[in-house]
């Protein structure tokens, strides 16, 4: 390796090294960058590595007064809960079904919005729509709960309109209305989270070679054909990456969405269609103080999620190797 260094006379000395540096020399040469990384390394160790020790609770009959190292070992007894309790299978079905619904409807809608926004010529309009779409992502689910309650309550906006036209009010938060909630949750999820993915798709479109668009237009392609044959293929890598990440989290759910919006934290009347593994674990661990079983379920979630991510990545690699995440 060649190093250039200016001497005291302003001339440049050329030093030749063998390209090998000791660890001490690497630290000395890059200590500023290592110092910048230090807070993130500490955060990962404190919040991601150290908590792994508490996975031991999944194999214990954990009690607080005995502690992590004093609680008796029970082996895989906590994992047998999956096969003994029918309620957890309902939570698994809801988690998978609703996540697939969110991915199947939300992904094409977000891509279409990004493509149409990319075609906007007005920079002001583009920034305005970006802000409007992204703003809900910053709002807490607790605030969204108050908004949905004002719309769906017995005396809310929708029922007021229904009564004004002589109709019968709908009890959205009653058990008999549980079948409506997958659609309601889909709408809430799209409204709140679409803006985040939209920004990533739109940012990827910024690197599209404008000459490809111009060539397509010269060949007589309209806006729709340009989007379909030029812009959309350009997004295939980011689509694949986000799809792989989504499939990796298919056994998890947005806790705030499923706990606050259907008011499972208050009545639990809609659990048949809105209970997911995350809300089930919360009830099991925090409300019922069964920390061992809750930890076991969470561990299974992580293992299955990792397996799903790797399988999805493998399928994507077979279809298009360049679009694979790993």
């Amino acid at each position: 390796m060649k190093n250039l260094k200016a001497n005291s006379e302003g001339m440049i000395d050329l030093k030749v090294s063998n390209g090998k540096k000791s660890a001490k020399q690497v630290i000395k040469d890059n200590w500023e960058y290592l110092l910048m990384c230090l807070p993130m390394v500490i955060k990962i160790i404190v919040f991601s590595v150290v908590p792994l020790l508490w996975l031991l609770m999944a194999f214990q009959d954990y009690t607080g007064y005995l502690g992590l190292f004093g609680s008796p070992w029970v082996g895989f007894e906590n994992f047998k809960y999956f096969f003994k309790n029918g309620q957890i299978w309902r939570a698994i079905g809801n988690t998978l079904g609703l996540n697939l619904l969110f991915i199947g409807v939300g992904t094409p809608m977000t891509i279409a919005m990004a493509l149409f926004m990319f075609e906007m010529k007005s920079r002001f309009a583009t920034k305005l729509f970006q802000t409007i779409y992204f703003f809900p992502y910053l709002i807490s689910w607790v605030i969204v709960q108050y908004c949905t309650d004002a719309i769906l309550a017995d005396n809310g906006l929708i029922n007021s309109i229904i009564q004004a036209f002589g109709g019968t009010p709908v009890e959205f938060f009653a058990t008999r209305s549980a079948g409506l909630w997958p659609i309601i949750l889909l709408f809430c999820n799209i409204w709140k989270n679409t803006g985040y993915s939209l920004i990533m798709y739109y940012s990827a479109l910024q690197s599209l070679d404008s000459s490809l668009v111009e060539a397509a237009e010269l060949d007589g392609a309209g806006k729709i054909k340009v989007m379909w044959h030029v812009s959309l293929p350009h997004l295939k890598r980011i689509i694949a990456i986000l799809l792989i990440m989504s499939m990796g989290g298919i056994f998890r759910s947005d806790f705030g969405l499923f706990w606050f919006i259907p008011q499972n934290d208050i009545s639990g009347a809609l659990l048949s269609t809105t209970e997911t593994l995350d809300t089930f674990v919360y009830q099991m661990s925090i409300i019922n103080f069964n920390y061992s079983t809750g930890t076991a379920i969470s561990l299974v979630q992580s293992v299955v999620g990792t397996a799903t991510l790797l399988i999805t990545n493998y399928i994507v690699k077979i279809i298009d190797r360049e679009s694979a995440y790993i």
Side-chain angles (χ1 to χ4, degrees), residues 148-170:
T148 54
D149 186 54
I151 297 172
L152 302 176
D154 294 343
N155 58 347
L157 177 62
I158 292 180
N159 280 325
S160 298
I161 295 173
I162 292 175
Q163 287 178 312
F165 286 93
T168 304
V170 179

Side-chain angles (χ1 to χ4, degrees), residues 7 12 17 23 31-32 85 89 92 104 117 122 125 142 147 153 203 210 219 222 224 271 289 305 313 317 319:
N7 58 24
I12 295 178
S17 64
W31 69 269
E32 300 98 334
N85 191 302
W89 291 105
I92 292 174
M117 194 166 70
S122 172
V142 177
C147 297
S203 299
S210 59
D219 288 339
I224 301 299
L271 291 177
F289 303 104
N313 182 81
K317 186 180 290 187
I319 298 173

Side-chain angles (χ1 to χ4, degrees), residues 222-240:
K223 293 294 183 184
I224 301 299
K225 287 188 176 181
V226 169
M227 285 191 289
W228 182 259
H229 295 287
V230 180
S231 301
L232 185 59
H234 184 73
L235 291 175
K236 66 176 182 178
R237 180 168 175 77
I238 186 68
I239 293 173

